[in-house]
Amino acid sequence: MYPGCSIQPPLSTSWHASKTFDADRLMKCSHVHEIPNAGPHVVYDSKEVWNIYELFHTRYSLHKRAYQHRVSNCIELMLTEVLIMANEHFKVTGMDGKLCRMSDAIDDMVAYAKLSDWVIMAIQNSAEPGLAPARELLQRVRRRDMFKFVGETVLPTKHDAAGNGIRVKKRAKEAEIRSKLLEMQPTTHADGGVVTGEDLMVSIVEISYGKGYSNPVDHAHFLTKDGVEFGQITSEKVGGFM
């Protein structure tokens, strides 16, 4: 279809959600052909264009309802904080028996290969005093005592001179939003507390059909009904709801 496209995640997860596209049928209607001036590509029978739209809609829906749900993102942020808190006190054995911090394991493949889900359980069951804050936050996750959710909004899309959508630079935009939120807080608080930058976590979530502002189906190649000619089917040829 196009580089980086995969149907496996939506297929495997859809068994636990609503399966809205027929993956078996799509595979049976897939072929590998040499596209002029483009090389070998996976192409599909033209009748499967709607099924492919269902594939990408399923992907979008799963990200919206599960993968990028605000509770899922909150747990991810909390587990990230657990690992940051534990970093200076939790070591793994690397090359030549050297103890290595998790943040340094990227430069030590022996240590890096050992990092997996067991780290969370090791932190939880550790008696190391330095890991106490990480253990406490991990217990909050298990009790579902989540970080307080403040709110969410949809950021307006900016366009370039050609009318194409401009992708947001996440880190810069998150820092900008955090700064503006801090400026909005009242100068005096009833409880005497003050919200600082470390108290706020801003996360920008991008959900699309898998190719940013582009329609991925516009980049797919299809076979005509007689299986002779190749072509692309734009959204205008499919329906008004695309």
Side-chain angles (χ1 to χ4, degrees), residues 7 10-11 14 18-24 26 51-52 54-56 58:
I7 69 170
L11 174 60
S14 289
S18 57
K19 185 179 178 183
T20 57
F21 79 100
D22 191 339
D24 291 334
L26 183 61
N51 197 21
I52 293 176
E54 284 297 310
L55 161 64
F56 285 105
T58 299

mmCIF file with all atom_site columns, all heavy atoms in Angstrom, residues 7 10-11 14 18-24 26 51-52 54-56 58:
data_model
loop_
_atom_site.group_PDB
_atom_site.id
_atom_site.type_symbol
_atom_site.label_atom_id
_atom_site.label_alt_id
_atom_site.label_comp_id
_atom_site.label_asym_id
_atom_site.label_entity_id
_atom_site.label_seq_id
_atom_site.pdbx_PDB_ins_code
_atom_site.Cartn_x
_atom_site.Cartn_y
_atom_site.Cartn_z
_atom_site.occupancy
_atom_site.B_iso_or_equiv
_atom_site.pdbx_formal_charge
_atom_site.auth_seq_id
_atom_site.auth_comp_id
_atom_site.auth_asym_id
_atom_site.auth_atom_id
_atom_site.pdbx_PDB_model_num
ATOM 1   N N   . ILE A 1 7  ? -1.589  -3.918  8.808  1.00 0.00 ? 7  ILE A N   1
ATOM 2   C CA  . ILE A 1 7  ? -2.952  -4.195  9.244  1.00 0.00 ? 7  ILE A CA  1
ATOM 3   C C   . ILE A 1 7  ? -2.968  -5.062  10.497 1.00 0.00 ? 7  ILE A C   1
ATOM 4   O O   . ILE A 1 7  ? -4.021  -5.317  11.043 1.00 0.00 ? 7  ILE A O   1
ATOM 5   C CB  . ILE A 1 7  ? -3.779  -4.878  8.134  1.00 0.00 ? 7  ILE A CB  1
ATOM 6   C CG1 . ILE A 1 7  ? -3.264  -6.301  7.874  1.00 0.00 ? 7  ILE A CG1 1
ATOM 7   C CG2 . ILE A 1 7  ? -3.784  -4.061  6.872  1.00 0.00 ? 7  ILE A CG2 1
ATOM 8   C CD1 . ILE A 1 7  ? -4.164  -7.108  6.968  1.00 0.00 ? 7  ILE A CD1 1
ATOM 9   N N   . PRO A 1 10 ? -4.567  -3.300  14.084 1.00 0.00 ? 10 PRO A N   1
ATOM 10  C CA  . PRO A 1 10 ? -6.023  -3.231  14.122 1.00 0.00 ? 10 PRO A CA  1
ATOM 11  C C   . PRO A 1 10 ? -6.680  -4.601  14.138 1.00 0.00 ? 10 PRO A C   1
ATOM 12  O O   . PRO A 1 10 ? -7.685  -4.804  14.795 1.00 0.00 ? 10 PRO A O   1
ATOM 13  C CB  . PRO A 1 10 ? -6.372  -2.461  12.847 1.00 0.00 ? 10 PRO A CB  1
ATOM 14  C CG  . PRO A 1 10 ? -5.150  -1.692  12.520 1.00 0.00 ? 10 PRO A CG  1
ATOM 15  C CD  . PRO A 1 10 ? -4.018  -2.571  12.950 1.00 0.00 ? 10 PRO A CD  1
ATOM 16  N N   . LEU A 1 11 ? -6.089  -5.569  13.411 1.00 0.00 ? 11 LEU A N   1
ATOM 17  C CA  . LEU A 1 11 ? -6.678  -6.901  13.350 1.00 0.00 ? 11 LEU A CA  1
ATOM 18  C C   . LEU A 1 11 ? -6.643  -7.569  14.714 1.00 0.00 ? 11 LEU A C   1
ATOM 19  O O   . LEU A 1 11 ? -7.646  -8.084  15.197 1.00 0.00 ? 11 LEU A O   1
ATOM 20  C CB  . LEU A 1 11 ? -5.930  -7.749  12.321 1.00 0.00 ? 11 LEU A CB  1
ATOM 21  C CG  . LEU A 1 11 ? -6.342  -9.225  12.244 1.00 0.00 ? 11 LEU A CG  1
ATOM 22  C CD1 . LEU A 1 11 ? -7.810  -9.328  11.879 1.00 0.00 ? 11 LEU A CD1 1
ATOM 23  C CD2 . LEU A 1 11 ? -5.474  -9.964  11.249 1.00 0.00 ? 11 LEU A CD2 1
ATOM 24  N N   . SER A 1 14 ? -8.872  -5.732  17.278 1.00 0.00 ? 14 SER A N   1
ATOM 25  C CA  . SER A 1 14 ? -10.291 -5.706  16.951 1.00 0.00 ? 14 SER A CA  1
ATOM 26  C C   . SER A 1 14 ? -11.050 -6.894  17.527 1.00 0.00 ? 14 SER A C   1
ATOM 27  O O   . SER A 1 14 ? -12.269 -6.840  17.663 1.00 0.00 ? 14 SER A O   1
ATOM 28  C CB  . SER A 1 14 ? -10.487 -5.653  15.430 1.00 0.00 ? 14 SER A CB  1
ATOM 29  O OG  . SER A 1 14 ? -10.120 -4.399  14.925 1.00 0.00 ? 14 SER A OG  1
ATOM 30  N N   . SER A 1 18 ? -14.700 -3.727  18.256 1.00 0.00 ? 18 SER A N   1
ATOM 31  C CA  . SER A 1 18 ? -15.673 -4.054  17.210 1.00 0.00 ? 18 SER A CA  1
ATOM 32  C C   . SER A 1 18 ? -14.935 -4.254  15.898 1.00 0.00 ? 18 SER A C   1
ATOM 33  O O   . SER A 1 18 ? -14.337 -3.331  15.364 1.00 0.00 ? 18 SER A O   1
ATOM 34  C CB  . SER A 1 18 ? -16.691 -2.917  17.076 1.00 0.00 ? 18 SER A CB  1
ATOM 35  O OG  . SER A 1 18 ? -16.044 -1.702  16.800 1.00 0.00 ? 18 SER A OG  1
ATOM 36  N N   . LYS A 1 19 ? -14.966 -5.466  15.396 1.00 0.00 ? 19 LYS A N   1
ATOM 37  C CA  . LYS A 1 19 ? -14.284 -5.759  14.141 1.00 0.00 ? 19 LYS A CA  1
ATOM 38  C C   . LYS A 1 19 ? -15.143 -5.259  12.989 1.00 0.00 ? 19 LYS A C   1
ATOM 39  O O   . LYS A 1 19 ? -16.216 -5.768  12.732 1.00 0.00 ? 19 LYS A O   1
ATOM 40  C CB  . LYS A 1 19 ? -14.047 -7.264  14.017 1.00 0.00 ? 19 LYS A CB  1
ATOM 41  C CG  . LYS A 1 19 ? -13.223 -7.637  12.792 1.00 0.00 ? 19 LYS A CG  1
ATOM 42  C CD  . LYS A 1 19 ? -12.999 -9.133  12.747 1.00 0.00 ? 19 LYS A CD  1
ATOM 43  C CE  . LYS A 1 19 ? -12.219 -9.519  11.492 1.00 0.00 ? 19 LYS A CE  1
ATOM 44  N NZ  . LYS A 1 19 ? -12.048 -10.961 11.380 1.00 0.00 ? 19 LYS A NZ  1
ATOM 45  N N   . THR A 1 20 ? -14.661 -4.228  12.287 1.00 0.00 ? 20 THR A N   1
ATOM 46  C CA  . THR A 1 20 ? -15.490 -3.584  11.276 1.00 0.00 ? 20 THR A CA  1
ATOM 47  C C   . THR A 1 20 ? -14.984 -3.789  9.864  1.00 0.00 ? 20 THR A C   1
ATOM 48  O O   . THR A 1 20 ? -15.621 -3.344  8.922  1.00 0.00 ? 20 THR A O   1
ATOM 49  C CB  . THR A 1 20 ? -15.589 -2.074  11.556 1.00 0.00 ? 20 THR A CB  1
ATOM 50  O OG1 . THR A 1 20 ? -14.274 -1.526  11.588 1.00 0.00 ? 20 THR A OG1 1
ATOM 51  C CG2 . THR A 1 20 ? -16.283 -1.816  12.880 1.00 0.00 ? 20 THR A CG2 1
ATOM 52  N N   . PHE A 1 21 ? -13.837 -4.398  9.698  1.00 0.00 ? 21 PHE A N   1
ATOM 53  C CA  . PHE A 1 21 ? -13.370 -4.681  8.344  1.00 0.00 ? 21 PHE A CA  1
ATOM 54  C C   . PHE A 1 21 ? -12.973 -6.145  8.235  1.00 0.00 ? 21 PHE A C   1
ATOM 55  O O   . PHE A 1 21 ? -12.665 -6.802  9.220  1.00 0.00 ? 21 PHE A O   1
ATOM 56  C CB  . PHE A 1 21 ? -12.192 -3.767  7.967  1.00 0.00 ? 21 PHE A CB  1
ATOM 57  C CG  . PHE A 1 21 ? -10.875 -4.216  8.549  1.00 0.00 ? 21 PHE A CG  1
ATOM 58  C CD1 . PHE A 1 21 ? -9.969  -4.926  7.772  1.00 0.00 ? 21 PHE A CD1 1
ATOM 59  C CD2 . PHE A 1 21 ? -10.534 -3.929  9.860  1.00 0.00 ? 21 PHE A CD2 1
ATOM 60  C CE1 . PHE A 1 21 ? -8.756  -5.342  8.299  1.00 0.00 ? 21 PHE A CE1 1
ATOM 61  C CE2 . PHE A 1 21 ? -9.326  -4.346  10.390 1.00 0.00 ? 21 PHE A CE2 1
ATOM 62  C CZ  . PHE A 1 21 ? -8.436  -5.050  9.610  1.00 0.00 ? 21 PHE A CZ  1
ATOM 63  N N   . ASP A 1 22 ? -12.997 -6.660  7.027  1.00 0.00 ? 22 ASP A N   1
ATOM 64  C CA  . ASP A 1 22 ? -12.742 -8.081  6.780  1.00 0.00 ? 22 ASP A CA  1
ATOM 65  C C   . ASP A 1 22 ? -11.294 -8.261  6.326  1.00 0.00 ? 22 ASP A C   1
ATOM 66  O O   . ASP A 1 22 ? -10.976 -8.095  5.149  1.00 0.00 ? 22 ASP A O   1
ATOM 67  C CB  . ASP A 1 22 ? -13.711 -8.595  5.722  1.00 0.00 ? 22 ASP A CB  1
ATOM 68  C CG  . ASP A 1 22 ? -13.692 -10.108 5.605  1.00 0.00 ? 22 ASP A CG  1
ATOM 69  O OD1 . ASP A 1 22 ? -12.676 -10.717 6.022  1.00 0.00 ? 22 ASP A OD1 1
ATOM 70  O OD2 . ASP A 1 22 ? -14.670 -10.678 5.089  1.00 0.00 ? 22 ASP A OD2 1
ATOM 71  N N   . ALA A 1 23 ? -10.408 -8.593  7.272  1.00 0.00 ? 23 ALA A N   1
ATOM 72  C CA  . ALA A 1 23 ? -8.984  -8.723  6.959  1.00 0.00 ? 23 ALA A CA  1
ATOM 73  C C   . ALA A 1 23 ? -8.711  -9.928  6.062  1.00 0.00 ? 23 ALA A C   1
ATOM 74  O O   . ALA A 1 23 ? -7.866  -9.860  5.162  1.00 0.00 ? 23 ALA A O   1
ATOM 75  C CB  . ALA A 1 23 ? -8.176  -8.832  8.251  1.00 0.00 ? 23 ALA A CB  1
ATOM 76  N N   . ASP A 1 24 ? -9.422  -11.027 6.290  1.00 0.00 ? 24 ASP A N   1
ATOM 77  C CA  . ASP A 1 24 ? -9.207  -12.222 5.469  1.00 0.00 ? 24 ASP A CA  1
ATOM 78  C C   . ASP A 1 24 ? -9.557  -11.939 4.009  1.00 0.00 ? 24 ASP A C   1
ATOM 79  O O   . ASP A 1 24 ? -8.828  -12.336 3.097  1.00 0.00 ? 24 ASP A O   1
ATOM 80  C CB  . ASP A 1 24 ? -10.058 -13.381 6.003  1.00 0.00 ? 24 ASP A CB  1
ATOM 81  C CG  . ASP A 1 24 ? -9.585  -13.874 7.354  1.00 0.00 ? 24 ASP A CG  1
ATOM 82  O OD1 . ASP A 1 24 ? -8.386  -13.702 7.648  1.00 0.00 ? 24 ASP A OD1 1
ATOM 83  O OD2 . ASP A 1 24 ? -10.413 -14.410 8.115  1.00 0.00 ? 24 ASP A OD2 1
ATOM 84  N N   . LEU A 1 26 ? -9.536  -9.027  2.561  1.00 0.00 ? 26 LEU A N   1
ATOM 85  C CA  . LEU A 1 26 ? -8.564  -8.073  2.020  1.00 0.00 ? 26 LEU A CA  1
ATOM 86  C C   . LEU A 1 26 ? -7.292  -8.791  1.593  1.00 0.00 ? 26 LEU A C   1
ATOM 87  O O   . LEU A 1 26 ? -6.713  -8.481  0.540  1.00 0.00 ? 26 LEU A O   1
ATOM 88  C CB  . LEU A 1 26 ? -8.251  -6.999  3.059  1.00 0.00 ? 26 LEU A CB  1
ATOM 89  C CG  . LEU A 1 26 ? -7.308  -5.882  2.613  1.00 0.00 ? 26 LEU A CG  1
ATOM 90  C CD1 . LEU A 1 26 ? -7.899  -5.113  1.445  1.00 0.00 ? 26 LEU A CD1 1
ATOM 91  C CD2 . LEU A 1 26 ? -7.002  -4.936  3.767  1.00 0.00 ? 26 LEU A CD2 1
ATOM 92  N N   . ASN A 1 51 ? -13.508 -1.546  1.871  1.00 0.00 ? 51 ASN A N   1
ATOM 93  C CA  . ASN A 1 51 ? -12.958 -2.362  2.955  1.00 0.00 ? 51 ASN A CA  1
ATOM 94  C C   . ASN A 1 51 ? -11.674 -1.734  3.508  1.00 0.00 ? 51 ASN A C   1
ATOM 95  O O   . ASN A 1 51 ? -11.411 -1.778  4.712  1.00 0.00 ? 51 ASN A O   1
ATOM 96  C CB  . ASN A 1 51 ? -12.685 -3.780  2.451  1.00 0.00 ? 51 ASN A CB  1
ATOM 97  C CG  . ASN A 1 51 ? -12.503 -4.789  3.568  1.00 0.00 ? 51 ASN A CG  1
ATOM 98  O OD1 . ASN A 1 51 ? -12.933 -4.574  4.699  1.00 0.00 ? 51 ASN A OD1 1
ATOM 99  N ND2 . ASN A 1 51 ? -11.850 -5.893  3.261  1.00 0.00 ? 51 ASN A ND2 1
ATOM 100 N N   . ILE A 1 52 ? -10.861 -1.144  2.630  1.00 0.00 ? 52 ILE A N   1
ATOM 101 C CA  . ILE A 1 52 ? -9.627  -0.493  3.075  1.00 0.00 ? 52 ILE A CA  1
ATOM 102 C C   . ILE A 1 52 ? -9.957  0.753   3.882  1.00 0.00 ? 52 ILE A C   1
ATOM 103 O O   . ILE A 1 52 ? -9.292  1.055   4.882  1.00 0.00 ? 52 ILE A O   1
ATOM 104 C CB  . ILE A 1 52 ? -8.727  -0.170  1.868  1.00 0.00 ? 52 ILE A CB  1
ATOM 105 C CG1 . ILE A 1 52 ? -8.235  -1.471  1.238  1.00 0.00 ? 52 ILE A CG1 1
ATOM 106 C CG2 . ILE A 1 52 ? -7.548  0.697   2.279  1.00 0.00 ? 52 ILE A CG2 1
ATOM 107 C CD1 . ILE A 1 52 ? -7.407  -1.285  -0.012 1.00 0.00 ? 52 ILE A CD1 1
ATOM 108 N N   . GLU A 1 54 ? -12.528 1.013   5.726  1.00 0.00 ? 54 GLU A N   1
ATOM 109 C CA  . GLU A 1 54 ? -12.936 0.462   7.016  1.00 0.00 ? 54 GLU A CA  1
ATOM 110 C C   . GLU A 1 54 ? -11.717 0.099   7.865  1.00 0.00 ? 54 GLU A C   1
ATOM 111 O O   . GLU A 1 54 ? -11.732 0.254   9.088  1.00 0.00 ? 54 GLU A O   1
ATOM 112 C CB  . GLU A 1 54 ? -13.814 -0.769  6.809  1.00 0.00 ? 54 GLU A CB  1
ATOM 113 C CG  . GLU A 1 54 ? -15.234 -0.447  6.381  1.00 0.00 ? 54 GLU A CG  1
ATOM 114 C CD  . GLU A 1 54 ? -15.974 0.354   7.439  1.00 0.00 ? 54 GLU A CD  1
ATOM 115 O OE1 . GLU A 1 54 ? -15.968 -0.051  8.617  1.00 0.00 ? 54 GLU A OE1 1
ATOM 116 O OE2 . GLU A 1 54 ? -16.549 1.405   7.096  1.00 0.00 ? 54 GLU A OE2 1
ATOM 117 N N   . LEU A 1 55 ? -10.659 -0.390  7.222  1.00 0.00 ? 55 LEU A N   1
ATOM 118 C CA  . LEU A 1 55 ? -9.416  -0.698  7.933  1.00 0.00 ? 55 LEU A CA  1
ATOM 119 C C   . LEU A 1 55 ? -8.876  0.548   8.638  1.00 0.00 ? 55 LEU A C   1
ATOM 120 O O   . LEU A 1 55 ? -8.579  0.529   9.838  1.00 0.00 ? 55 LEU A O   1
ATOM 121 C CB  . LEU A 1 55 ? -8.377  -1.244  6.954  1.00 0.00 ? 55 LEU A CB  1
ATOM 122 C CG  . LEU A 1 55 ? -6.900  -1.202  7.399  1.00 0.00 ? 55 LEU A CG  1
ATOM 123 C CD1 . LEU A 1 55 ? -6.676  -2.093  8.605  1.00 0.00 ? 55 LEU A CD1 1
ATOM 124 C CD2 . LEU A 1 55 ? -5.994  -1.599  6.246  1.00 0.00 ? 55 LEU A CD2 1
ATOM 125 N N   . PHE A 1 56 ? -8.757  1.645   7.903  1.00 0.00 ? 56 PHE A N   1
ATOM 126 C CA  . PHE A 1 56 ? -8.191  2.862   8.490  1.00 0.00 ? 56 PHE A CA  1
ATOM 127 C C   . PHE A 1 56 ? -9.153  3.514   9.474  1.00 0.00 ? 56 PHE A C   1
ATOM 128 O O   . PHE A 1 56 ? -8.726  4.147   10.444 1.00 0.00 ? 56 PHE A O   1
ATOM 129 C CB  . PHE A 1 56 ? -7.784  3.843   7.386  1.00 0.00 ? 56 PHE A CB  1
ATOM 130 C CG  . PHE A 1 56 ? -6.525  3.424   6.684  1.00 0.00 ? 56 PHE A CG  1
ATOM 131 C CD1 . PHE A 1 56 ? -6.576  2.871   5.411  1.00 0.00 ? 56 PHE A CD1 1
ATOM 132 C CD2 . PHE A 1 56 ? -5.288  3.552   7.306  1.00 0.00 ? 56 PHE A CD2 1
ATOM 133 C CE1 . PHE A 1 56 ? -5.418  2.469   4.766  1.00 0.00 ? 56 PHE A CE1 1
ATOM 134 C CE2 . PHE A 1 56 ? -4.126  3.144   6.668  1.00 0.00 ? 56 PHE A CE2 1
ATOM 135 C CZ  . PHE A 1 56 ? -4.180  2.605   5.400  1.00 0.00 ? 56 PHE A CZ  1
ATOM 136 N N   . THR A 1 58 ? -11.132 1.761   11.409 1.00 0.00 ? 58 THR A N   1
ATOM 137 C CA  . THR A 1 58 ? -10.960 0.937   12.608 1.00 0.00 ? 58 THR A CA  1
ATOM 138 C C   . THR A 1 58 ? -9.711  1.369   13.373 1.00 0.00 ? 58 THR A C   1
ATOM 139 O O   . THR A 1 58 ? -9.725  1.474   14.605 1.00 0.00 ? 58 THR A O   1
ATOM 140 C CB  . THR A 1 58 ? -10.853 -0.546  12.230 1.00 0.00 ? 58 THR A CB  1
ATOM 141 O OG1 . THR A 1 58 ? -12.067 -0.946  11.583 1.00 0.00 ? 58 THR A OG1 1
ATOM 142 C CG2 . THR A 1 58 ? -10.629 -1.412  13.463 1.00 0.00 ? 58 THR A CG2 1
#
